[in-house]
């Protein structure tokens, strides 16, 4: 198939593109290579894709309406994997406009491109952040997600609503994937694993929020990619048993689905730090701080729906995943 992967120079986008290319798909990778974090890391990821004969890179912002219209019209994509977004909960408190431009305007351009050019299936990144103020664990796609606690979360919830509208009005099959704390080699420098590893290797203390009383459903990158590709291959369908009197937020009479992709095994932040310490052979000096605005104390994914739909559930242990990240970090940055 010919597949558009947006955010192809990003953490998840690079890994997804490599798997699609390895199985013989043609990939057009789109990215704006912005400076939200170190662009040289994005360029290094891109350098792993460009040697593949089935890959072509387009440097463009998804918010570029005219450019996106041209791209869709000229390329004739079979499927779209939309991973480009302004990421980060904390940054959304400082620069909310960036989230509207990328996550709302950009997603609108993706939907319009898919609608007008007969794309067979749109798979897009949502986030565990949509669960916001929910406290019932594990988080389920059947639960209401109407109380976001950050602008980032609000834009991801909006993406799900926008996707449903296009599935309903135009029959566009859409699948939203709520990612839970993705980590692994080539990861984002603004994420805890990257920040902690760098600080510990440089002999600096690490900032531990909520005084360490955090639990996260850390999900290894290879598991995320497997979930993305499997859902891409199983096109969203209308739910014949959908009850409009008791609507299920995760499905619809339209070809629309939403799935959690998480490890279904929340880990205490202190245990996660201990895994990093063991992989590095360094004890961390911890700077204990209160919970930050927009953050939540715990995440925990119910993955039964993903398993039932694709036959897959993430299962990589934090010990294995962290060890692989640390090995990559040492090699990439030259730390021994």
């Amino acid at each position: 198939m010919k597949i558009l992967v947006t955010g192809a120079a990003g953490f998840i986008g690079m890994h997804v593109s490599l798997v699609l290319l390895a199985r013989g798909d043609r990939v057009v990778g789109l990215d704006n290579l912005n400076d939200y974090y170190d662009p040289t890391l994005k360029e290094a990821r891109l350098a792993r894709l460009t040697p593949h004969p089935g890959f072509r890179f387009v440097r463009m912002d998804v918010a570029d309406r005219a450019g996106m219209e041209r791209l869709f019209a000229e390329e004739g994509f079979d499927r779209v994997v939309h991973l480009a977004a302004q990421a980060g909960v904390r940054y959304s408190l400082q620069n909310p406009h960036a989230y509207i431009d990328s996550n709302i305007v950009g997603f609108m351009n993706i939907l319009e491109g898919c609608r007008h050019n007969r794309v067979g299936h749109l798979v897009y990144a949502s986030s565990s952040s949509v669960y916001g103020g929910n406290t019932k664990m594990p988080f389920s796609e059947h639960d209401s997600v109407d109380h976001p606690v950050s602008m980032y979360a609000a834009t991801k919830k909006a993406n799900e609503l926008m996707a449903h509208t296009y599935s309903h009005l135009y029959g566009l099959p859409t699948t939203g994937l709520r990612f839970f704390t993705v980590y692994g080699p080539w990861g984002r420098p603004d994420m805890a694993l990257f920040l902690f590893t760098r600080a510990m290797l440089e002999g600096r203390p690490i900032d531990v929020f909520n005084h360490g009383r955090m639990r996260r459903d850390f999900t290894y990158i290879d598991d995320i990619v497997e979930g993305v590709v499997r859902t891409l291959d199983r096109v969203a369908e209308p739910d014949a048993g959908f009850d409009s009197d008791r609507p299920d937020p995760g499905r619809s009479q339209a070809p629309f689905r939403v799935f959690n992709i998480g490890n279904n095994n929340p880990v205490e932040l202190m245990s996660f730090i201990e895994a990093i310490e063991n992989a590095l052979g360094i004890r961390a000096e911890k700077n204990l701080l209160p919970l930050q605005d927009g953050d939540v104390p715990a995440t925990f994914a119910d993955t039964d729906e993903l398993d039932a739909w694709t036959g897959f559930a993430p299962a990589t242990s934090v010990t294995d995943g962290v060890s692989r990240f640390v090995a990559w970090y040492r090699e990439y940055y030259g730390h021994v």
Side-chain angles (χ1 to χ4, degrees), residues 194-275:
F194 211 111
L195 293 168
F196 290 169
T197 299
R198 173 169 286 171
M200 290 162 68
L201 283 168
E202 293 175 355
R204 294 183 287 108
I206 61 174
D207 288 340
V208 181
F209 294 101
N210 203 33
H211 304 283
R213 295 189 293 274
M214 305 274 270
R215 295 166 71 232
R216 284 290 181 270
D217 209 342
F218 294 101
T219 313
Y220 188 64
I221 183 61
D222 290 1
D223 289 334
I224 290 288
V225 172
E226 182 77 12
V228 169
V229 173
R230 288 204 188 199
T231 52
L232 182 68
D233 289 343
R234 179 149 189 208
V235 178
E237 302 166 357
D239 176 17
F242 186 78
D243 184 354
S244 299
D245 288 336
R246 287 174 294 185
D248 183 333
R251 52 185 68 196
S252 173
Q253 292 167 323
F256 164 91
R257 293 300 300 263
V258 171
F259 297 106
N260 292 333
I261 301 188
N263 214 41
N264 192 232
N265 181 31
V267 172
E268 299 285 345
L269 182 57
M270 290 302 193
S271 297
F272 188 68
I273 292 169
E274 185 179 348

Side-chain angles (χ1 to χ4, degrees), residues 2-309:
K2 188 175 190 180
I3 301 171
L4 172 64
V5 177
T6 71
F11 173 33
I12 300 172
M14 180 205 73
H15 284 281
V16 168
S17 296
L18 284 171
V19 168
L20 294 174
L21 290 165
R23 74 178 197 174
D25 292 318
R26 289 175 295 155
V27 174
V28 174
L30 182 143
D31 207 292
N32 66 0
L33 298 174
N34 69 21
D35 61 357
Y36 168 65
Y37 61 79
D38 183 11
T40 59
L41 178 59
K42 299 179 183 183
E43 289 161 1
R45 294 191 192 118
L46 199 55
R48 300 188 71 211
L49 298 173
T50 48
H52 288 266
F55 181 79
R56 187 167 75 81
F57 177 63
V58 174
R59 183 166 185 171
M60 189 186 299
D61 194 311
V62 289
D64 178 351
R65 179 175 171 182
M68 294 299 291
E69 286 176 355
R70 282 195 304 273
L71 181 71
F72 271 91
E74 291 169 2
E75 296 289 345
F77 301 114
D78 298 301
R79 305 274 167 89
V80 173
V81 181
H82 178 53
L83 302 169
Q86 178 57 62
V89 168
R90 290 165 192 161
Y91 185 63
S92 70
L93 276 65
Q94 303 162 31
N95 190 2
H97 290 286
Y99 292 77
I100 299 302
D101 294 342
S102 182
N103 301 4
I104 302 297
V105 175
F107 192 60
M108 186 69 204
N109 291 337
I110 292 291
L111 288 170
E112 279 287 275
C114 291
R115 168 199 171 191
H116 289 294
N117 297 279
R118 296 186 175 85
V119 168
H121 191 197
L122 166 62
V123 172
Y124 62 95
S126 186
S127 168
S128 62
S129 298
V130 300
Y131 289 102
N134 290 19
T135 55
K136 181 172 80 69
M137 299 282 176
F139 293 149
S140 167
E141 300 94 335
H142 306 301
D143 298 335
S144 166
V145 287
D146 291 333
H147 299 89
V149 296
S150 71
M151 195 62 195
Y152 172 67
T155 62
K156 289 298 184 178
K157 164 67 172 175
N159 286 171
E160 295 179 4
L161 297 173
M162 293 162 72
H164 183 269
T165 302
Y166 271 62
S167 296
H168 171 75
L169 289 174
Y170 308 114
L172 171 66
T174 67
T175 300
L177 300 175
R178 294 173 177 171
F179 298 146
F180 281 69
T181 316
V182 189
Y183 74 101
W186 297 94
R188 281 187 8 229
D190 60 327
M191 298 292 282
L193 176 56
F194 211 111
L195 293 168
F196 290 169
T197 299
R198 173 169 286 171
M200 290 162 68
L201 283 168
E202 293 175 355
R204 294 183 287 108
I206 61 174
D207 288 340
V208 181
F209 294 101
N210 203 33
H211 304 283
R213 295 189 293 274
M214 305 274 270
R215 295 166 71 232
R216 284 290 181 270
D217 209 342
F218 294 101
T219 313
Y220 188 64
I221 183 61
D222 290 1
D223 289 334
I224 290 288
V225 172
E226 182 77 12
V228 169
V229 173
R230 288 204 188 199
T231 52
L232 182 68
D233 289 343
R234 179 149 189 208
V235 178
E237 302 166 357
D239 176 17
F242 186 78
D243 184 354
S244 299
D245 288 336
R246 287 174 294 185
D248 183 333
R251 52 185 68 196
S252 173
Q253 292 167 323
F256 164 91
R257 293 300 300 263
V258 171
F259 297 106
N260 292 333
I261 301 188
N263 214 41
N264 192 232
N265 181 31
V267 172
E268 299 285 345
L269 182 57
M270 290 302 193
S271 297
F272 188 68
I273 292 169
E274 185 179 348
I276 305 170
E277 291 175 326
N278 292 339
L280 289 171
I282 299 171
R283 297 297 105 179
E285 179 187 346
K286 302 173 187 72
N287 183 23
L288 301 180
L289 298 167
L291 185 70
Q292 288 200 310
D293 287 342
D295 229 338
V296 295
T299 64
F300 180 1
D302 180 337
T303 56
D304 288 350
E305 289 290 323
L306 179 71
D307 192 0
W309 189 251

